[in-house]
Amino acid sequence: MNEHQSRSAIVTGASGGIGRAVALRLAADGLAVLAHYSGNRERAEKTVRQIRAAGGRASSWAGDVADESAMDALFGAAEEAFGGVDVVVHTAGIMPLAPLAELDLDVFDQVQRTNVRGTAVVAQQAARRVRPGGAVVLFSTSITRLQSPGYAAYAMSKGAVEALTLILARELRGRDVTVNTVAPGPTDTPLFREGKPAELIDTIAGLNPMGRLGTPEDIADVVAALAGPARWINGQVLYANGSAA
Ligand SMILES: NC(=O)c1ccc[n+]([C@@H]2O[C@H](COP(=O)([O-])OP(=O)(O)OC[C@H]3O[C@@H](n4cnc5c(N)ncnc54)[C@H](OP(=O)(O)O)[C@@H]3O)[C@@H](O)[C@H]2O)c1
């Protein structure tokens, strides 16, 4: 098989906890991977080195997900390197927390820019460019159901991602491209741990019937199914959290 015949994936936020696990999993499943990052080049490069060491194909590419020129370039880089794009997994996002009464509205704007506009920009590129047989996987959070205090700005932004999911799946009628959103529960990554004392993390882990936090690999398993064999799941939000919430 030559370098343009296998399937390829763009993973945004591949320098982050979940994105890195997704990139490694898709590469292990045989996809060529473009590992996207924003500021953390070394972490993305480490993922690329790990994939290549295991015999896979991967490159890294930087850019702000809310910047349409940067994302146009990201997709162009994947097409140039791999001959086309089959799977887009959009994990990049931010989660500043504050009660609404104390929320800095500049922070609110930043959350909406990265999480809402960023998803619109990446999903728009995906809608234009993903090849037949492909899959688009967006990211929300189980917080949109749990509705915990402090998460207003973040949950509002992810509610928008959920709203987009079925609409885009329907807009892609006839293209043979699925669109789904994965909504993890607490997953052990830097985004989850930031600002939380160890006791709070233990309490959150204990609330789950499985008695633990999710791992990035738990989430990558779900993405791998959506990216590959699970063609009959389309337009759905999947709450991947180890419990019923
Ligand atoms: N971890 C959880 O408990 C949890 C639960 C529910 C949902 N989620 C969702 O899962 C996704 C991944 O979360 P995670 O825990 O893996 O997060 P993470 O470890 O903090 O990684 C976040 C990623 O997003 C990238 N990023 C942030 N702002 C960006 C921007 N403006 N442009 C481009 N890239 C940007 C970061 O890039 P750099 O580091 O290179 O700057 C990083 O790769 C997010 O959408 C999050 O909301 C996570």
Side-chain angles (χ1 to χ4, degrees):
M1 185 174 282
N2 75 34
E3 70 176 79
H4 285 176
Q5 284 177 319
S6 64
R7 297 177 87 225
S8 80
I10 292 173
V11 180
T12 72
S15 49
I18 291 173
R20 172 178 159 72
V22 168
L24 293 172
R25 172 58 191 270
L26 294 184
D29 288 350
L31 282 82
V33 172
L34 189 57
H36 159 272
Y37 64 98
S38 176
N40 207 332
R41 178 179 185 159
E42 183 41 39
R43 271 182 65 86
E45 281 298 322
K46 192 175 163 196
T47 304
V48 167
R49 285 196 298 274
Q50 203 170 330
I51 291 170
R52 288 180 180 165
R57 288 192 297 137
S59 310
S60 65
W61 195 270
D64 178 359
V65 290
D67 178 332
E68 57 268 48
S69 302
M71 291 303 99
D72 180 48
L74 172 77
F75 277 71
E79 288 166 345
E80 174 82 19
F82 308 132
V85 179
D86 302 288
V87 173
V88 175
V89 185
H90 177 48
T91 81
I94 56 173
M95 186 183 72
L97 302 182
L100 188 62
E102 293 156 28
L103 181 64
D104 178 339
L105 289 175
D106 288 340
V107 172
F108 178 85
D109 288 347
Q110 188 56 43
V111 175
Q112 308 316 314
R113 178 175 165 80
T114 300
N115 293 359
V116 181
R117 183 185 167 86
T119 299
V121 168
V122 171
Q124 182 178 58
Q125 289 295 326
R128 292 172 178 168
R129 298 164 87 151
V130 168
R131 295 189 288 206
V136 180
V137 182
L138 307 176
F139 267 75
S140 178
T141 167
S142 293
I143 285 292
T144 56
R145 282 190 172 170
L146 295 171
Q147 301 177 349
S148 309
Y151 286 82
Y154 177 66
M156 289 169 76
S157 74
K158 293 299 192 176
V161 176
E162 295 186 12
L164 171 66
T165 308
L166 182 54
I167 292 172
L168 185 57
R170 287 176 169 157
E171 288 181 357
L172 296 187
R173 171 182 289 273
R175 291 271 303 279
D176 190 19
V177 173
T178 61
V179 182
N180 292 288
T181 287
V182 176
T187 308
D188 199 353
T189 71
L191 176 139
F192 170 74
R193 285 193 172 263
E194 191 182 333
K196 294 189 182 78
E199 311 80 68
L200 176 59
I201 291 172
D202 288 347
T203 303
I204 292 171
L207 291 172
N208 194 292
M210 300 285 194
R212 65 172 177 85
L213 295 174
T215 64
E217 290 73 24
D218 288 326
I219 306 306
D221 285 345
V222 178
V223 172
L226 294 172
R231 300 300 300 164
W232 210 233
I233 299 177
N234 191 19
Q236 307 286 327
V237 179
L238 281 85
Y239 294 87
N241 55 28
S243 71

